[in-house]
């Protein structure tokens, strides 16, 4: 049962309920503030309780209300029902594979028109996010699915991680998070935007074998209530303190301005901050750039004197560095749309978001403050939403979508002429490239793919192909002749893929981050290093200078050499950037932990923007990399350590109440606070840093003494010198001062010195003075 009322008009209200036979009923009140029902003729005013029979409400006309009914679920128990005022629809669910979730659209006083969603094994619960227009379903198949209410063919996202059927879901509206609770008493917190689990809570709930639970989150006070039969559990949301942060809210994007030597960062609180790269000092800050809407992406023009910001309000704003907004681009066409990337080209501005089409603005139309979009001549070519793009001068544009499809465009004509996809069955080529259609993946690749996705459906497998970043390897020359890779992509399930656009084929793919969700990446200007980041805050650097330089008949699954791996953040890495400063290649990483970190390409930290002590990047040369083979061997061990560390941060210690005791429990609902790190080493208190420090100490304690003939360094300043044992030396005659020390170190006799002359007295001095003048 559910009761809804219109906040702007309290007279409009709906009481909805379902029965065990699959029927959904709704009583729509038109004057709820005055009277819910008409008083029966046979009743008296003295009666305190008036009884209305359901059959009378259905058959007899009422002026204060009317009844809506529809058979939503055939002979199945209605698990949950709710009226959505924003959609003007009744939503209900049942544990059946057909008509698992049904939307009954309210149209005047007629029988609702229904829309049915068919979900494997059915749905136990759901929730609706009014701002994002999303429906979250708790599935018996252990999955939480996100649905567009107007698209019934497939979900727009599938959140996997529960090992038992999900019993309850609820959105945290302000934070854009989702809570899900499963039958094995596991509570998970999901990031909706990245569709990733950011926290797992277990072991704190009462130990009931058979229980019925309800979930409610109070956003105003940050408290989560979960019922277990006759017990109530309370979880409090606590703010993490004690870390160095660059922004007050999670950071969405970071850029480097090579002209002014500044780093520009933005957060979901619509704030843009400017920092000096050589000292870390904050220069200036723009607040409320998009009002209350979040800033999701940024870009610079070719001169790097104009800043473009895109927000969830569906607009792109053009700023100068004094904080003046010159233009406002209506990318969402007066609708709130999330913008994922902005491309500033010579004559156009391309805006990409959660749509299947490219939004284009012509530079010659920038005559007014408000600018409307132009028509993209190529139309719709993607089958799913576009997430990212890359541009290769002078006219090649590529776009990547959520289902893994990559479309290659001619930017001058705005026409698509080629399509790529990791799945060879989905890879569509143009007629001019038909000679490459025969190329398919080797058997080993098929085995790897099937082993990875044997337990997921075709719709879920599209999440593994999602393209989150695209980069052209512009520094590579003559790739058309050699057939080598000139395009790299990354995204779902930690995959990185290398493509040849000239031959329209996939050359290599490997898992950069194991057991993780979607990843992001960037490439340095020389195309020598590939930097990737994951949801645990880990960053890896790969050497791709000699990787996939030539065409191969089989797809390469061996990853490039791993140079270093480090963890500058404690939460999801949201953006990566590289910059060259003082003859050093630096990595700038932004994270959902509200910090922007700077480190060398070798992984050593420089600092975090916002720390009290400013740093100074010297002119010294870049340090050498550690042994590549050693890092590759330690890669799996480090991944396991990070996984354990992530579980340790998420695990909360609490002793449950005794059986049968209806006690209200209070448990923490956030990561434990850590102490302030020292300004000289801002990563000293990270979990990964502590583990490495412990490993180093243990190695020092167990270290064996050096044996020179077994220790011969192969690198270093004196690597060419040959070191061998010292030759034995015979007895040497001792000098006389060692044999007879008394002759040289005896006590010296004190010489008698004459006493100093006695000075004349005062009377004698006066007499001498008078005689001198006489």
């Amino acid at each position: 049962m559910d009761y809804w009322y219109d906040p702007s008009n309290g007279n409009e209200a709906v009481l909805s309920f379902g029965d065990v036979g699959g029927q959904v009923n709704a009583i729509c009140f038109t004057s709820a503030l005055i009277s819910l029902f008409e008083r029966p003729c046979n009743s008296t005013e003295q009666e305190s309780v008036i009884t209305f029979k359901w059959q009378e409400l259905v058959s007899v006309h009422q002026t204060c209300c009317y009844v809506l009914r529809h058979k939503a679920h055939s002979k199945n128990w209605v698990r949950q029902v709710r009226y959505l005022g924003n959609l003007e629809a009744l939503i209900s669910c049942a544990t059946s594979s057909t008509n698992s979730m049904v939307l009954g659209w309210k149209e005047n006083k007629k029988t609702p028109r229904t829309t049915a969603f068919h979900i494997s094994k059915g749905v136990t619960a759901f929730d609706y996010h009014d701002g994002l227009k999303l429906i979250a379903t708790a599935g018996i198949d252990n999955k939480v699915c996100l649905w567009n209410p107007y698209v019934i063919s497939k979900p727009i996202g599938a959140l996997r991680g529960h090992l038992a059927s999900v019993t309850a879901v609820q959105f945290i509206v302000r934070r854009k998070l989702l809570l899900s609770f499963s039958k094995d008493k596991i509570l998970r917190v999901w990031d909706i935007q990245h569709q990733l689990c950011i926290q797992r809570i277990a072991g704190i709930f009462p130990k009931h074998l058979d229980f019925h639970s309800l979930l409610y989150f109070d956003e105003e006070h940050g408290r989560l209530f979960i019922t277990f039969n006759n017990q109530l559990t309370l979880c409090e949301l606590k703010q993490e303190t004690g870390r160095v942060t660059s922004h007050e809210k999670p950071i969405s994007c970071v850029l480097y301005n090579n002209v002014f030597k500044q780093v520009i960062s933005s957060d979901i609180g619509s704030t843009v901050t400017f920092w000096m790269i050589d000292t870390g000092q904050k220069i200036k800050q723009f607040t409320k750039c998009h009002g209350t809407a979040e800033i999701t992406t940024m870009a610079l023009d070719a001169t790097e004197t104009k800043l473009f910001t895109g927000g969830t309000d569906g607009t792109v704003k053009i700023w100068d560095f004094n904080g003046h907004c010159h233009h406002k681009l209506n990318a969402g066409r007066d609708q709130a749309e999330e913008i994922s990337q902005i491309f500033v080209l010579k004559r156009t501005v391309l805006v990409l978001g959660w749509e299947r089409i490219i939004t284009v603005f012509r530079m010659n139309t920038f005559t007014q403050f408000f600018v409307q979009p132009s028509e993209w001549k190529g139309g719709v070519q993607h089958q799913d939403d576009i997430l990212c793009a890359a541009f290769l001068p002078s006219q090649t544009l590529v776009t990547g979508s959520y289902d893994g499809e990559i479309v290659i465009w001619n930017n001058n004509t705005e026409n698509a002429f080629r399509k790529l996809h990791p799945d060879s069955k989905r890879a569509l080529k143009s007629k001019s490239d038909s000679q490459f259609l025969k190329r398919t993946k080797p058997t080993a690749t098929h085995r790897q793919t099937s082993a990875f996705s044997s337990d997921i459906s075709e719709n879920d497998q599209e999440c593994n192909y999602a393209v989150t970043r695209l980069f052209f390897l512009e520094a590579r020359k003559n790739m058309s002749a050699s057939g080598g890779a000139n395009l790299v992509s990354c995204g779902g399930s930690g995959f990185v893929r290398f493509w040849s656009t000239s031959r329209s084929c996939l050359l290599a793919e490997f898992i950069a981050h194991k057991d993780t969700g979607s990843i992001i990446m960037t490439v340095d200007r020389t195309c020598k290093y590939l930097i990737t980041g994951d949801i645990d805050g880990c960053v890896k650097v790969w050497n791709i200078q000699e990787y996939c330089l030539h065409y191969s008949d089989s797809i390469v699954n061996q990853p490039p050499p791993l140079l270093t791996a480090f963890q500058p953040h404690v939460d999801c890495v949201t953006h990566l950037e590289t910059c060259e400063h003082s003859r050093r290649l630096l990595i700038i990483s932004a994270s959902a932990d509200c910090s922007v970190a700077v480190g060398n390409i070798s992984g050593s930290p420089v600092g975090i923007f916002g720390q009290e002590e400013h740093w100074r990047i010297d002119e010294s040369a870049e340090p050498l990399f550690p042994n590549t083979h050693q890092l590759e061997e330690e890669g799996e061990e480090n991944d396991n350590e990070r996984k354990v560390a992530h579980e340790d941060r998420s695990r909360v210690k609490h002793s449950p109440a005794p059986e049968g005791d209806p006690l209200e429990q209070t448990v923490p609902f956030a990561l434990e606070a850590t102490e302030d790190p020292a300004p000289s080493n801002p990563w000293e208190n990270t979990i990964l840093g502590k583990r490495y420090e412990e490993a180093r100490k243990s190695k020092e304690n167990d270290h064996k003494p050096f044996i020179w003939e077994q220790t011969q360094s192969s690198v270093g300043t004196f690597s060419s010198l040959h070191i061998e044992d010292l030759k034995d030396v015979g007895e040497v005659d001792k000098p006389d001062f060692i044999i007879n020390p008394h002759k040289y170190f005896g006590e010296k006799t004190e010489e008698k010195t004459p006493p100093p002359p006695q000075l004349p007295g005062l009377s004698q001095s006066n007499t001498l003075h008078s005689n001198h003048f006489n």
Side-chain angles (χ1 to χ4, degrees):
M1 180 179 290
D2 176 73
Y3 183 79
W4 170 90
Y5 69 93
D6 189 351
S8 60
N9 182 12
N11 286 317
E12 299 289 335
V14 176
L15 176 64
S16 57
F17 56 93
D19 57 28
V20 296
Q23 187 86 13
V24 175
N25 310 280
I27 305 175
C28 303
F29 301 101
T30 56
S31 57
L33 297 179
I34 302 173
S35 176
L36 293 177
F37 305 99
E38 293 180 3
R39 181 179 292 273
C41 299
N42 56 0
S43 65
T44 61
E45 296 182 358
Q46 287 76 17
E47 296 183 35
S48 60
V49 178
I50 302 176
T51 303
F52 294 90
K53 293 183 179 181
W54 174 247
Q55 295 300 330
E56 294 178 359
L57 291 177
V58 175
S59 58
V60 179
H61 175 72
Q62 295 274 340
T63 59
C64 299
C65 65
Y66 60 93
V67 177
L68 296 177
R69 307 180 69 190
H70 66 279
K71 192 73 171 178
H73 312 279
S74 177
K75 298 180 181 181
N76 288 297
W77 189 0
V78 179
R79 297 288 177 173
Q80 185 181 353
V81 64
R82 180 178 170 186
Y83 179 76
L84 306 178
N86 188 31
L87 299 179
E88 294 187 352
L90 288 163
I91 180 173
S92 59
C93 68
T95 54
S96 60
S97 298
T98 59
N99 290 5
S100 307
M101 182 173 63
V102 176
L103 284 173
W105 304 94
K106 178 184 173 185
E107 296 176 349
N108 298 324
K109 299 181 180 180
K110 302 178 182 179
T111 302
R113 175 178 56 87
T114 60
T115 301
F117 295 76
H118 308 297
I119 305 171
S120 176
K121 299 183 182 180
V123 174
T124 57
F126 64 84
D127 194 21
Y128 177 71
H129 195 295
D130 187 56
L132 298 177
K133 305 295 187 297
L134 286 179
I135 302 174
T137 57
I140 300 180
D141 58 354
N142 309 347
K143 291 187 300 184
V144 177
C145 293
L146 302 176
W147 299 85
N148 184 327
Y150 301 102
V151 180
I152 65 175
S153 59
K154 63 178 181 179
I156 65 172
L159 310 180
R160 297 187 300 273
H162 284 288
L163 302 178
S165 60
V166 186
T167 59
V169 289
Q170 184 175 351
F171 284 104
I172 304 179
V173 179
R174 296 177 184 175
R175 297 173 177 263
K176 292 187 177 179
L177 301 176
L178 178 66
L179 301 173
S180 64
F181 191 73
S182 57
K183 201 170 182 179
D184 55 356
K185 303 186 189 69
I186 302 294
L187 177 68
R188 288 182 178 268
V189 185
W190 305 86
D191 185 322
I192 304 173
Q193 181 179 1
H194 299 92
Q195 299 183 9
L196 301 171
C197 180
I198 61 176
Q199 193 169 4
R200 176 184 178 272
I201 301 175
I204 63 174
F205 304 111
K207 297 179 180 180
H208 290 289
L209 295 178
D210 189 13
F211 66 94
H212 177 72
S213 63
L214 296 175
L215 185 147
Y216 173 74
F217 182 75
D218 181 12
E219 289 201 39
E220 184 177 356
H221 300 92
R223 295 176 179 177
L224 175 66
F225 297 89
I226 306 178
T227 63
F228 295 89
N229 297 339
N230 63 338
Q231 294 189 14
L232 178 67
T233 300
L234 170 63
C235 302
E236 284 187 308
L237 184 65
K238 293 184 178 180
Q239 184 68 31
E240 186 180 6
T241 58
R243 292 186 297 103
V244 177
T245 58
S246 310
H247 286 246
E248 294 182 358
K249 294 188 177 181
I251 299 168
S252 56
C253 187
V254 64
L255 299 174
Y256 177 67
N257 189 312
N258 192 52
V259 175
F260 299 107
K261 309 299 180 185
Q262 297 175 4
V263 173
I264 309 169
S265 58
S266 64
D267 62 24
I268 64 174
S270 201
T271 300
V272 177
T273 307
F274 297 77
W275 314 83
M276 292 296 296
I277 185 63
D278 50 359
T279 63
Q281 181 180 3
K282 181 192 290 186
I283 305 172
K284 52 192 170 184
Q285 190 175 69
F286 304 155
T287 59
K288 301 297 180 184
C289 295
H290 286 255
T292 58
E294 301 177 6
I295 296 179
T296 55
T297 186
M298 297 188 298
L300 293 169
D301 66 344
T303 62
E304 299 190 9
T305 57
K306 294 290 178 64
L307 176 66
F308 292 70
T309 60
T312 56
D313 56 356
T315 64
V316 174
K317 294 185 177 182
I318 305 176
W319 309 79
D320 59 25
F321 282 14
N322 293 321
H324 175 68
C325 181
H326 293 267
H327 299 285
K328 185 177 181 180
L329 313 184
N330 186 16
R333 296 174 175 84
D334 300 324
Q335 298 292 328
E337 298 288 346
E338 183 175 344
I339 297 171
S340 58
Q341 195 168 0
I342 303 170
F343 258 97
V344 185
L345 303 180
K346 187 175 182 180
R347 291 185 294 270
T348 58
V349 176
L350 306 181
V351 181
L352 309 172
W354 288 85
E355 289 184 335
R356 295 184 299 157
I357 193 171
I358 300 175
T359 303
V360 58
F361 295 87
R362 317 286 179 189
M363 292 290 191
N364 54 14
T365 62
F366 287 19
T367 56
Q368 303 293 330
F369 178 77
F370 292 98
V371 183
Q372 299 298 329
S374 303
E375 180 183 3
W376 179 257
K377 300 175 184 177
V380 179
Q381 295 293 333
H382 282 278
Q383 302 179 26
D384 214 327
D385 296 332
I386 302 174
L387 303 183
C388 59
F391 181 75
L392 179 65
S394 60
Q395 60 186 17
T396 304
L397 174 72
V398 295
T399 53
S401 60
Y402 184 78
D403 61 356
E405 187 176 51
I406 297 176
V407 178
I408 307 177
W409 308 76
N410 185 315
N411 188 58
N412 291 340
T413 62
E414 298 181 359
N415 291 323
F417 61 91
R418 207 170 299 161
K419 292 185 179 181
L420 308 174
H421 197 278
D423 186 358
S424 58
K425 298 178 181 179
R426 286 279 311 271
L428 304 178
K429 310 293 191 300
S430 64
K431 294 182 179 179
S432 60
D433 296 320
S434 59
Q435 63 268 26
F436 302 113
L437 288 175
K438 297 181 181 179
R439 186 175 183 271
T440 58
K441 291 186 178 182
T443 306
T445 306
H446 282 297
R447 286 199 298 268
Q448 179 183 357
T449 305
S450 61
F452 178 79
S453 58
S454 59
D455 58 342
I456 58 177
S457 63
E458 182 179 354
N459 292 336
D460 297 334
Q461 198 167 359
E462 292 183 357
C463 305
N464 304 327
Y465 292 140
V467 182
T468 58
R469 293 290 190 276
L470 280 168
F471 283 96
F472 272 110
L473 305 176
E474 298 185 35
R476 294 190 174 186
K477 306 299 181 183
N478 302 322
M479 286 296 102
S480 299
S482 63
N486 65 336
L487 178 67
V488 58
S489 67
C490 76
S493 301
F495 272 94
V496 175
R497 295 179 172 92
F498 284 75
W499 307 82
S500 171
T501 58
S502 61
R503 302 211 177 190
S504 304
C505 61
L506 176 65
L507 294 181
E509 65 176 0
F510 65 93
I511 299 179
H513 297 258
K514 294 182 179 180
D515 301 327
T516 185
S518 179
I519 64 172
I520 62 171
M521 69 174 183
T522 189
V523 180
D524 74 308
R525 182 179 57 86
T526 62
C527 298
K528 182 179 179 180
Y529 304 114
L530 170 71
I531 301 100
T532 58
D534 63 18
I535 63 174
D536 294 329
C538 175
V539 175
K540 293 184 179 182
V541 182
W542 311 81
N543 186 350
I544 60 171
Q545 188 175 15
E546 304 294 331
Y547 193 68
C548 290
L549 295 180
H550 302 281
Y551 174 80
S552 175
D553 290 332
S554 60
I555 296 178
V556 178
N557 297 117
Q558 183 70 24
L562 175 63
L563 298 180
T564 185
F566 56 100
Q567 188 173 6
H569 303 283
V570 297
D571 206 340
C572 175
V573 180
T574 57
H575 203 95
L576 289 169
E577 189 82 1
T578 62
C579 73
E580 297 179 7
H581 185 74
S582 299
R583 296 190 301 169
R584 286 195 172 203
L585 181 60
L586 303 176
I587 301 175
I588 307 171
S589 59
S591 172
D593 64 2
C594 306
S595 66
V596 179
V598 181
N600 293 325
I601 194 68
S602 59
S604 57
V606 174
I608 297 177
F609 289 111
Q611 66 184 41
E612 294 183 3
E613 183 178 344
H614 295 161
W615 62 72
R616 182 176 179 180
I617 302 176
D618 55 22
E619 298 288 339
S620 62
E622 185 65 29
L624 294 175
F625 284 105
N627 187 277
T628 302
H629 299 288
Q630 180 181 357
L631 277 171
E632 290 177 348
E633 293 174 357
E634 295 178 354
E636 295 185 0
E637 180 181 353
N638 295 340
D639 287 339
N640 295 332
E641 288 184 357
R642 283 188 294 273
K643 189 189 302 183
V644 173
H646 184 69
E647 294 292 336
D648 292 342
R649 294 196 304 270
S650 303
R651 187 176 298 112
V652 182
K653 295 183 179 179
H654 183 77
S655 57
E659 291 282 345
D661 184 13
L663 179 65
E664 188 180 34
Q665 306 175 33
T666 303
V667 297
F669 187 44
L671 302 177
E672 294 294 332
T674 56
E675 298 179 357
D676 283 322
S680 60
N681 187 3
W683 295 342
E684 183 180 10
N685 287 339
T686 61
I687 295 177
L688 188 62
K690 289 182 177 180
R691 291 182 178 275
Y692 279 148
E693 184 178 1
E694 293 174 359
R696 286 195 300 269
K697 289 182 179 179
S698 62
K699 289 181 180 179
E700 291 175 0
N701 296 334
D702 299 335
H703 204 286
K704 296 180 180 180
F706 274 101
I707 302 175
W708 283 107
E709 58 186 15
Q710 296 179 359
T711 306
Q712 179 68 37
S713 176
S714 60
V715 294
T717 308
F718 304 101
S719 59
S720 59
L721 295 179
H722 179 68
I723 301 175
E724 59 184 8
D725 295 338
L726 297 176
K727 297 180 178 180
D728 295 334
V729 181
E731 294 185 1
V732 180
D733 295 336
K734 296 182 181 180
D736 186 59
F737 69 86
I738 295 179
I739 299 175
N740 302 309
H742 59 278
K743 295 182 180 181
Y744 302 91
F745 304 104
E747 294 183 359
K748 296 183 178 180
T749 58
E750 295 182 358
E751 298 180 357
K752 295 183 178 180
T753 57
Q758 186 177 2
L759 296 175
L762 180 61
S763 58
Q764 297 177 358
S765 177
N766 292 335
T767 305
L768 293 173
H769 184 71
S770 59
N771 294 334
H772 176 73
F773 283 100
N774 292 331

